[in-house]
Every structure is written in C-alpha cells, then in structure tokens.
C-alpha cells in the first residue's frame, strides 16, 4: 500500500474484517488489489509531475538573444492506463467471485460458470433468469434456450431478489454499477481505458521589459509545448511555478469528461458496499432486502 497517496478509500475499515475471514475473502482480496492498482496509477501521475514529465522551463534562444519561458508536458507513462484498467477489472471480478462463492456454498453445480448479473435494461436482465426460445437466423429452426442465470435462481433465490430489489445493475437502475461492467468490457475486449490528460501551470514573474504576470494559468495536453513569455533577460520569478495534471475519461465511454480518480474511488466504494451487504445477508443474518426477510445463512 502506498501510504503517501490516498483516494479516500478506507480499505482497512472494520466493516471489511468479516469479508476477509469468511465466505467472501477472495472477493475482498480482489477489492484490495483494485485499491492497490488505483494507487499505483496515482503514484505514477505524481511521479510524472514531480520528476520532470511536465513543468515550466526557460531556455536561451541564441539567434534572437532571447530568453524563452515555456510550459511543457511529455506523454504520460503508458502504465497509468493499464493500472486503471486492471483496477476496474478487479472491482468487476470481485463481484463475480462473491456470487460464485455464494452459489457454490449453497450447493450449486461446481462446473457451471456463474457471474454477477448485468444488463443494459431491467427487462433484459429479467429475461436472463428465464428459459426461452431462439430461432436460428440461417436455418429457421427454433429451439429452447437455457436461462443464463438459472443457477442463481435455483441455488440462491435471495440473490436474485437482491439483484433486482437492491443492486439494480442496469443502466437506468444503478448507472455507476452498470458503467463499471461497461468499462471493464471495453478495456478487456476493445482497448485500454484511455484517459484525457490536462496539465496546468502557473508562474508569477516580472520581465526586464517591465511585463508583470500574476495568477495566469496556462493549460496544455500531453506532448505539447506552449510559449509563455519572451524577454532579453531571465525572468524575475516572484512566485515559484505550480504544476498539476488531471485525468478525465474520454468521449464515448461511461463517465465521459469526469475525473478518473474521483470515479474509480466511487466505484470502489460501490463494490465494497455491495460485498458488505451480501456478507451481512448471507453470513451475518442481517437482511439486505427491502422487506427485511432474513436469509438462511450460508457459511463455510
């Protein structure tokens, strides 16, 4: 754990102690791993900023006998996108692992794949719990199809109720939860979760020509150099430069334009709350259902 950096995630909260010692310990381990990946990305961003990946510099231009002050930003370390994507996948995987352990301990078949249910719509998700019929577009034959979530319904009906009454993992029901699955699918099957980076710099100074600057802020993208000032003498700096870089999700993905570390912190806390609710319901005898129905406890 990187103690010098924080996303405000209380990974060692007492509420997580039951997760780490019972049925959900593997899911809790993946939650820890997601926290570590996000902090690694935050650490790399801070290192990039502090160690010269971006900054304000002054260079001498011999042909014009001029001192040129510039704001610059190198490309971000590629590992940042990888760490963010891995952290998102770990959160999604923690939910799958929790469901798998519940179904297994409730007597479900060990050789069948089971995952945390997601769908873009509530009706589509409900259909995944029901058998149906499918017509082949090529041959025209119609056959019966199994419900993809049949194992949850047959083994742990309480879990099906929790999905629809509490978690609501479809776009119009619980958007952040649906978006977590969407982001994970994007980074697994199409691309890394790319991020937009904006670097901002400020410096207060007086030039030999008498030009004074205070509180101006310049903003650039990675790989850019921006000229701030030209002077026949080095700048008289009256306030040391400040540099900051922020990451935002790009267009055409969930949370477009929002700050990456704010969002992954929210997603972490969302997954943590779901795991705590499932643990309390299935191991702690504390109902997570709206009507207070207590589950038959499932315990190792």
């Amino acid at each position: 754990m990187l103690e010098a950096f924080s996303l405000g995630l209380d990974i060692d909260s007492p509420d997580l102690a039951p997760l780490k010692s019972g049925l959900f310990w593997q899911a809790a381990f993946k939650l820890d791993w997601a926290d570590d990946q996000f902090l690694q990305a935050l650490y790399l961003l801070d290192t990039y900023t502090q160690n010269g990946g971006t900054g304000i510099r002054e260079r001498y231009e011999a042909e014009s006998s001029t001192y040129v002050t510039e704001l610059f930003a190198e490309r971000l370390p590629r590992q940042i996108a990888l760490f963010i994507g891995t952290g998102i996948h770990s959160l999604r995987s923690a939910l799958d692992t929790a469901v798998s352990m519940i179904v297994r301990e409730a007597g479900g078949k060990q050789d069948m794949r089971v995952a945390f249910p997601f769908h873009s719509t509530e009706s589509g998700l409900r259909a995944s719990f029901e058998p149906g019929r499918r017509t082949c577009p090529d041959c025209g034959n119609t056959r019966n199809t199994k419900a993809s979530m049949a194992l949850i319904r047959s083994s742990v009906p309480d879990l099906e109720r929790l999905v629809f009454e509490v978690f609501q993992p479809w776009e119009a029901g619980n958007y952040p939860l649906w978006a977590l699955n969407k982001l994970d699918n994007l980074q697994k099957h199409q691309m890394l979760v790319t991020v937009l980076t904006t670097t901002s710099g400020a410096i207060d100074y007086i030039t030999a020509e008498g030009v004074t600057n205070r509180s101006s802020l310049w903003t650039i993208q990675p790989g850019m150099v921006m000229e701030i000032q030209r002077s026949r003498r080095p700048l008289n700096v009256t306030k040391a430069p400040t540099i900051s870089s922020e990451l935002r999700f790009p267009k055409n993905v969930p949370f477009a334009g929002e700050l990456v570390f704010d969002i992954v912190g929210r997603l972490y806390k969302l997954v943590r709350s779901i795991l705590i609710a499932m643990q309390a319901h299935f191991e702690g005898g504390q109902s997570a259902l709206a009507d207070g129905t207590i589950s038959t406890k499932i315990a190792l």
Side-chain angles (χ1 to χ4, degrees), residues 121-200:
T121 65
E122 180 181 1
S123 59
L125 189 61
R126 290 190 182 279
S128 69
F129 283 84
E130 302 284 352
R133 294 178 63 78
R134 179 181 181 274
T135 300
C136 174
D138 297 321
C139 65
N141 292 332
T142 300
R143 60 182 179 84
N144 293 330
T145 59
K146 294 182 179 179
S148 59
M149 296 297 166
L151 192 56
I152 291 177
R153 170 171 287 184
S154 62
S155 302
V156 199
D158 271 12
L159 182 55
E160 181 181 353
R161 286 190 61 193
L162 284 173
V163 166
F164 288 101
E165 294 179 18
V166 182
F167 305 144
Q168 301 183 341
W170 54 88
E171 186 173 5
N174 188 335
Y175 178 83
L177 186 54
W178 169 86
L180 169 64
N181 182 58
K182 184 71 172 179
L183 286 172
D184 182 45
N185 284 336
L186 285 172
Q187 71 92 22
K188 282 193 303 184
H189 302 301
Q190 296 183 29
M191 61 182 180
L192 292 174
V193 179
T194 55
V195 293
L196 299 176
T197 311
T198 301
T199 294
S200 300

Side-chain angles (χ1 to χ4, degrees), residues 202-222:
I203 180 174
D204 291 1
Y205 59 83
I206 301 173
T207 71
E209 294 80 9
V211 176
T212 300
N213 179 75
R214 292 188 181 92
S215 304
S216 293
L217 187 68
W218 296 271
T219 301
I220 60 173
Q221 304 303 316

Side-chain angles (χ1 to χ4, degrees), residues 45-294:
L45 180 63
D46 184 80
T47 301
Y48 161 84
T49 303
Q50 298 299 323
N51 292 356
T54 185
I56 293 176
R57 64 193 176 195
E58 190 173 65
R59 63 179 177 83
Y60 181 67
E61 189 176 87
E63 59 269 27
S64 62
S65 301
T66 302
Y67 289 87
V68 181
T69 304
E70 300 171 329
L71 171 65
F72 70 95
E74 305 292 348
R75 297 290 181 184
L76 275 180
R78 293 182 178 180
Q79 298 95 318
I80 288 180
L82 187 61
F83 281 131
I84 291 170
T86 301
I88 288 170
H89 177 65
S90 296
L91 291 179
R92 173 70 175 82
S93 183
L95 295 174
D96 288 343
T97 298
V99 168
S100 179
M101 294 301 292
I102 292 170
V103 171
R104 189 190 74 179
E105 294 303 318
K109 295 180 180 179
Q110 305 300 300
D111 59 345
M112 291 187 68
R113 181 179 180 274
V114 64
F116 192 95
F118 284 95
H119 204 277
S120 58
T121 65
E122 180 181 1
S123 59
L125 189 61
R126 290 190 182 279
S128 69
F129 283 84
E130 302 284 352
R133 294 178 63 78
R134 179 181 181 274
T135 300
C136 174
D138 297 321
C139 65
N141 292 332
T142 300
R143 60 182 179 84
N144 293 330
T145 59
K146 294 182 179 179
S148 59
M149 296 297 166
L151 192 56
I152 291 177
R153 170 171 287 184
S154 62
S155 302
V156 199
D158 271 12
L159 182 55
E160 181 181 353
R161 286 190 61 193
L162 284 173
V163 166
F164 288 101
E165 294 179 18
V166 182
F167 305 144
Q168 301 183 341
W170 54 88
E171 186 173 5
N174 188 335
Y175 178 83
L177 186 54
W178 169 86
L180 169 64
N181 182 58
K182 184 71 172 179
L183 286 172
D184 182 45
N185 284 336
L186 285 172
Q187 71 92 22
K188 282 193 303 184
H189 302 301
Q190 296 183 29
M191 61 182 180
L192 292 174
V193 179
T194 55
V195 293
L196 299 176
T197 311
T198 301
T199 294
S200 300
I203 180 174
D204 291 1
Y205 59 83
I206 301 173
T207 71
E209 294 80 9
V211 176
T212 300
N213 179 75
R214 292 188 181 92
S215 304
S216 293
L217 187 68
W218 296 271
T219 301
I220 60 173
Q221 304 303 316
M224 291 180 61
V225 177
M226 176 185 289
E227 184 177 300
I228 294 174
Q229 184 65 59
R230 286 174 168 262
S231 177
R232 67 177 183 273
R233 299 276 192 276
L235 293 184
N236 176 15
V237 177
T238 58
K239 185 178 180 181
T242 58
I243 302 293
S244 63
S245 295
E246 62 181 23
L247 308 183
R248 294 182 182 272
F249 284 106
K251 295 179 181 178
N252 302 319
V253 303
F255 304 115
E258 297 195 50
L259 291 169
V260 169
F261 289 115
D262 285 355
I263 294 300
V264 297
R266 285 173 55 194
L267 294 178
Y268 169 91
K269 291 173 182 176
L270 174 61
V271 171
R272 180 190 64 195
S273 69
I274 291 173
L275 294 179
I276 289 173
M278 288 197 290
Q279 189 279 326
H281 188 84
F282 291 108
E283 286 191 295
Q286 302 174 36
S287 178
L289 295 167
D291 62 4
T293 302
I294 299 295

Side-chain angles (χ1 to χ4, degrees), residues 17-30:
L19 289 177
K20 296 182 177 182
S21 60
L23 180 64
F24 297 90
W25 72 268
Q26 293 183 47
F29 178 80
K30 291 183 177 182

